[in-house]
Amino acid sequence: MDGYVQRVLTATPSRLAVPLPADIISTVEFNHTGELLATGDKGGRVVIFQREPESKNAPHSQGEYDVYSTFQSHEPEFDYLKSLEIEEKINKIKWLPQQNAAHSLLSTNDKTIKLWKITERDKRPEGYNLKDEEGKLKDLSTVTSLQVPVLKPMDLMVEVSPRRIFANGHTYHINSISVNSDCETYMSADDLRINLWHLAITDRSFNIVDIKPANMEDLTEVITASEFHPHHCNLFVYSSSKGSLRLCDMRAAALCDKHSKLFEEPEDPSNRSFFSEIISSVSDVKFSHSGRYMLTRDYLTVKVWDLNMEARPIETYQVHDYLRSKLCSLYENDCIFDKFECAWNGSDSVIMTGAYNNFFRMFDRNTKRDVTLEASRESSKPRAVLKPRRVCVGGKRRRDDISVDSLDFTKKILHTAWHPAENIIAIAATNNLYIFQDKVNSDMH
Amino acid sequence: MFARGLKRKCVGHEEDVEGALAGLKTVSSYSLQRQSLLDMSLVKLQLCHMLVEPNLCRSVLIANTVRQIQEEMTQDGTWRAVAPQAAERAPLDRLVSTEILCRAAWGQEGAHPAPGLGDGHTQGPVSDLCPVTSAQAPRHPQSSAWEMDGPRENRGSFHKSLDQIFETLETKNPSCMEELFSDVDSPYYDLDTVLTGMMGGARSGPCEGLEGLAPATPAPSSSCKSDLGELDHVVEILVET
């Protein structure tokens, strides 16, 4: 955790003081090998970065990420029935496990999920008999002999095509998608329902969770996130706005309204306020790579849960407890509704989440140490080691400390991702993407 | 970072009321702040109707907060005793120096707008206001309506109002907003209270007592103007201009 270095600053270069709304990154996801990194933005675009193979000439430069492909995934639409615009913002991207030379990913906005296939073309046939180089038909009288077309190398071309469009499955806004370990199905969750799809079938899906009450007047709880178990294809978890997690088994029933396990921490009566429920709402849930634990993020904390213990989390880490006394103001300016994501490292020993002022936090589960780092152009030069930051809450103030009142609440790190095997992290700070690598500890421990 | 409104003092009235309320100051200030939080929440719910499409999670969380406050208010026995004075004092505390807002709201109810609302609180406007306030009492959530109609009925109308929100979220349709706001008897839609509450109370009230933050510094007038612009927009939609 100590030696994080800024390897690459890759961003939509923006000279504007205020970033264009369309450029705001809305999701970040590494593929299963970490070779590719996909980002989605508010304008419906997907940008894929590829890690360059390590070069023999510069052994210290361990593979930087460069732009591999950019495409428009979703366009804004209009719902004529409700007279409402459907945003093209990409809410989530999930990679499919690679099964052949092509890469595939699912990208979704509020209503429609799309399966994209990404292929490379680096050869082309030359020497046709009937057509010339430009493709025009040859004058047959000039053809005197037959030749076999030969494949010749060409500049690499990355082609992206939409292979499936899964539409009309959701009345409410999609907040999560998750590919099953069976590699054949995936689920999509909106505020009130979760659907199971087959990757090859677009005209129907199965509803597996439905928490919509008979009377919308009785609605008090919504689904906030969901994910399939990494190994057991029958298990999935979904989180709610009341801070609970429900683990469901698809073998039990077709409609998984009855949970197999309910994970809920009893409320602390000493901390009770009008905002207790809002700050307990879970904004993200992630299974550990081992499948034994779950990581949840609520407004002020990240928690690690053991699948075998429903009563309470086994670990709780304070992300920015100094905000606890500011909840009313954060409610007033709507920041209290910000949805932060969380991430595990490859060995499940360190967890990471974002905060305000372009800060992000890492917690080492073994040593119990934590660090606050900042993602900003000004504060870090390329290849300089990131300096830990500190927020002071009154009392002794060190030189580079930031006081709570000078935090910039418009600079929020909502989306972060961790390379599946190495200590490389991707941080989305508004419209900029930062990639940091741990030079000191390249391997996971 | 967080703008606060100016706290207004009712100069003429102060000597009369201050003594009576001195002993109950902490209780009534918590009630005022809680009321301000309630008003802020109600405005948030209204505003999210006007924007493109409401975020259901956010709306549900705000609505749950409103329900919590309302339940606590109905259970709070000591609050009841303070209510009459608090009810009269509260609107004065939350006066807004914008005749446009007050006229638009009172125009609907058929009451006369009080003259000279903007600067200084002399005996004249105050006495003009009192009849207006009592005329509005049935629709004022914090006023004697709580006692007149009884907590149960008010709870019912509160729930009904929240129900209507979720129904419109279901069948989001611009004309539904007219239906929502056509019911002038509902305390939820007392535009005057809600908007004045947001302007005066929400800025300085809830964040102080409820969380022990440091006292607010006066906000520059420019922040009030931008809020007015937003509120004007809300009022325009409601009165269908």
Side-chain angles (χ1 to χ4, degrees):
Chain A
M1 278 193 339
D2 291 326
Y4 271 91
V5 166
Q6 181 180 304
R7 296 297 303 175
V8 171
L9 171 53
T10 323
T12 321
S14 174
R15 305 270 185 269
L16 304 172
V18 179
L20 290 170
D23 291 342
I24 294 173
I25 299 171
S26 49
T27 187
V28 187
E29 188 81 7
F30 280 99
N31 76 338
H32 296 276
T33 60
E35 183 209 351
L36 298 175
L37 174 68
T39 63
D41 67 21
K42 227 175 160 213
R45 282 170 308 216
V46 172
V47 180
I48 303 176
F49 299 85
Q50 183 187 45
R51 194 175 184 200
E52 296 304 317
E54 291 177 32
S55 139
K56 289 173 202 168
N57 298 333
H60 296 295
S61 142
Q62 262 177 337
E64 304 197 341
Y65 284 85
D66 292 323
V67 177
Y68 177 67
S69 173
T70 304
F71 60 95
Q72 188 74 32
S73 170
H74 286 72
E75 299 274 1
E77 284 172 52
F78 195 74
D79 182 339
Y80 295 98
L81 205 60
K82 294 184 184 176
S83 293
L84 288 172
E85 260 209 16
I86 299 171
E87 275 193 304
E88 67 275 31
K89 171 168 76 89
I90 308 294
N91 293 336
K92 282 278 149 50
I93 291 174
K94 285 282 144 83
W95 290 91
L96 268 55
Q98 194 177 6
Q99 287 172 332
N100 48 40
H103 292 100
S104 300
L105 59 79
L106 289 169
S107 69
T108 186
N109 69 348
D110 284 338
K111 296 285 183 176
T112 305
I113 306 135
K114 294 188 184 180
L115 175 65
W116 292 89
K117 194 164 179 183
I118 302 128
T119 48
E120 288 184 3
R121 187 193 293 271
D122 61 354
K123 294 180 186 54
R124 66 154 186 234
E126 276 178 28
Y128 281 106
N129 290 296
L130 298 174
K131 286 187 281 186
D132 66 14
E133 297 284 311
E134 279 98 55
K136 285 189 294 192
L137 288 172
K138 280 185 192 172
D139 182 358
L140 284 177
S141 58
T142 63
V143 179
T144 52
S145 62
L146 287 177
Q147 58 183 349
V148 177
V150 187
L151 287 173
K152 294 252 174 87
M154 61 179 256
D155 288 338
L156 178 67
M157 208 164 70
V158 179
E159 296 173 335
V160 182
S161 61
R163 300 307 288 243
R164 306 265 191 275
I165 296 179
F166 304 90
N168 304 318
H170 289 277
T171 309
Y172 303 97
H173 289 177
I174 298 173
N175 54 53
S176 323
I177 48 174
S178 177
V179 182
N180 201 343
S181 51
D182 66 8
C183 302
E184 284 187 357
T185 57
Y186 75 95
M187 70 159 149
S188 55
D190 67 29
D191 295 312
L192 297 177
R193 298 191 178 101
I194 302 181
N195 293 337
L196 182 72
W197 304 80
H198 193 287
L199 283 165
I201 300 170
T202 59
D203 62 355
R204 77 194 101 108
S205 67
F206 294 97
N207 177 242
I208 54 177
V209 174
D210 189 340
I211 64 166
K212 184 179 172 193
N215 270 329
M216 277 298 268
E217 312 152 8
D218 300 330
L219 179 64
T220 57
E221 192 173 10
V222 301
I223 298 169
T224 51
S226 73
E227 198 182 44
F228 266 119
H229 191 279
H231 310 309
H232 303 301
C233 57
N234 55 301
L235 287 180
F236 66 93
V237 68
Y238 70 90
S239 61
S240 85
S241 55
K242 287 200 170 170
S244 64
L245 300 170
R246 285 174 174 78
L247 188 73
C248 300
D249 188 334
M250 293 197 292
R251 296 172 304 190
L255 189 61
C256 301
D257 276 355
K258 285 201 189 125
H259 50 264
S260 291
K261 292 196 182 185
L262 172 64
F263 299 80
E264 208 167 22
E265 185 172 23
E267 202 179 353
D268 178 6
S270 63
N271 262 336
R272 178 121 182 77
S273 77
F274 286 121
F275 308 108
S276 294
E277 187 186 308
I278 299 178
I279 63 168
S280 74
S281 173
V282 174
S283 52
D284 193 18
V285 62
K286 294 262 168 49
F287 277 104
S288 65
H289 292 89
S290 63
R292 166 95 189 260
Y293 303 103
M294 294 182 297
L295 180 65
T296 59
R297 174 69 154 98
D298 50 62
Y299 193 62
L300 297 178
T301 70
V302 278
K303 295 177 175 156
V304 178
W305 302 77
D306 186 322
L307 253 64
N308 299 317
M309 188 163 82
E310 299 164 68
R312 75 192 79 85
I314 56 168
E315 293 156 31
T316 300
Y317 301 94
Q318 301 295 332
V319 180
H320 37 204
D321 200 55
Y322 45 78
L323 295 184
R324 199 176 285 273
S325 56
K326 313 270 182 198
L327 291 178
C328 189
S329 309
L330 293 163
Y331 179 74
E332 193 180 352
N333 65 15
D334 266 12
C335 282
I336 207 173
F337 301 108
D338 286 336
K339 293 194 186 240
F340 292 93
E341 292 170 9
C342 52
W344 295 92
N345 74 340
S347 60
D348 299 335
S349 58
V350 183
I351 56 187
M352 166 172 72
T353 189
Y356 292 107
N357 210 74
N358 279 351
F359 288 167
F360 59 98
R361 305 262 282 136
M362 287 191 204
F363 303 90
D364 189 317
R365 297 178 60 213
N366 300 323
T367 65
K368 300 301 179 197
R369 283 173 53 224
D370 64 86
V371 69
T372 304
L373 299 171
E374 182 178 0
S376 91
R377 284 186 208 248
E378 292 84 32
S379 72
S380 47
K381 297 168 193 162
R383 307 214 164 79
V385 177
L386 287 180
K387 197 176 58 174
R389 306 308 309 264
R390 212 174 83 112
V391 178
C392 77
V393 206
K396 275 191 245 178
R397 202 205 141 142
R398 288 185 224 157
R399 208 166 63 109
D400 291 324
D401 282 4
I402 308 244
S403 79
V404 185
D405 294 314
S406 17
L407 290 174
D408 188 343
F409 285 80
T410 62
K411 294 192 177 156
K412 37 194 117 182
I413 307 245
L414 303 173
H415 312 289
T416 60
W418 206 310
H419 191 287
E422 297 184 36
N423 277 345
I424 303 174
I425 55 179
I427 310 283
T430 318
N431 62 330
N432 291 321
L433 177 71
Y434 292 80
I435 298 174
F436 300 105
Q437 184 168 359
D438 190 348
K439 280 230 85 173
V440 177
N441 306 302
S442 307
D443 305 313
M444 298 289 181
H445 33 239
Chain B
M1 172 181 58
F2 303 111
R4 304 270 190 271
L6 262 174
K7 252 201 160 149
R8 290 169 174 275
K9 282 208 158 186
C10 178
V11 175
H13 226 52
E14 204 171 357
E15 292 111 25
D16 303 358
V17 189
E18 197 175 351
L21 282 180
L24 302 155
K25 210 158 198 162
T26 38
V27 176
S28 71
S29 97
Y30 173 80
S31 303
L32 280 176
Q33 285 144 9
R34 183 176 57 187
Q35 177 65 40
S36 301
L37 182 64
L38 176 66
D39 295 339
M40 192 200 326
S41 305
L42 294 177
V43 171
K44 278 183 183 298
L45 283 173
Q46 286 185 20
L47 284 176
C48 75
H49 280 144
M50 320 249 176
L51 302 175
V52 176
E53 185 160 19
N55 178 332
L56 188 61
C57 182
R58 178 177 171 273
S59 304
V60 167
L61 289 172
I62 297 171
N64 289 350
T65 309
V66 167
R67 280 200 193 97
Q68 266 185 66
I69 297 172
Q70 184 255 330
E71 276 170 20
E72 193 183 282
M73 278 173 148
T74 52
Q75 282 167 20
D76 200 340
T78 51
W79 177 86
R80 284 264 220 105
V82 183
Q85 289 125 324
E88 279 173 33
R89 191 158 192 248
L92 295 174
D93 266 0
R94 292 184 277 124
L95 281 176
V96 178
S97 61
T98 162
E99 293 187 322
I100 302 165
L101 285 174
C102 298
R103 274 208 197 110
W106 289 337
Q108 284 177 15
E109 341 292 11
H112 304 292
L117 249 190
D119 323 283
H121 304 336
T122 62
Q123 281 301 114
V126 165
S127 53
D128 281 344
L129 277 171
C130 285
V132 174
T133 311
S134 56
Q136 289 182 330
R139 292 176 299 281
H140 192 316
Q142 200 196 1
S143 72
S144 43
W146 285 102
E147 293 139 86
M148 274 166 45
D149 304 338
R152 193 169 289 218
E153 186 177 308
N154 227 308
R155 174 184 234 135
S157 61
F158 241 116
H159 276 189
K160 183 186 167 215
S161 317
L162 289 172
D163 302 346
Q164 286 174 317
I165 296 169
F166 289 117
E167 274 171 28
T168 59
L169 289 175
E170 264 263 82
T171 60
K172 178 74 164 101
N173 187 330
S175 68
C176 282
M177 286 199 295
E178 285 134 44
E179 286 173 77
L180 260 185
F181 295 109
S182 63
D183 183 5
V184 294
D185 287 333
S186 166
Y188 175 80
Y189 300 117
D190 188 334
L191 182 64
D192 179 58
T193 321
V194 166
L195 292 178
T196 55
M198 178 179 140
M199 278 300 297
R203 296 269 140 201
S204 54
C207 305
E208 290 195 6
L210 292 177
E211 299 192 300
L213 277 178
T217 52
S221 56
S222 56
S223 69
C224 283
K225 278 186 187 150
S226 60
D227 289 329
L228 285 180
E230 195 180 316
L231 290 169
D232 277 348
H233 175 62
V234 167
V235 170
E236 268 174 37
I237 294 172
L238 292 173
V239 302
E240 298 168 56
T241 47

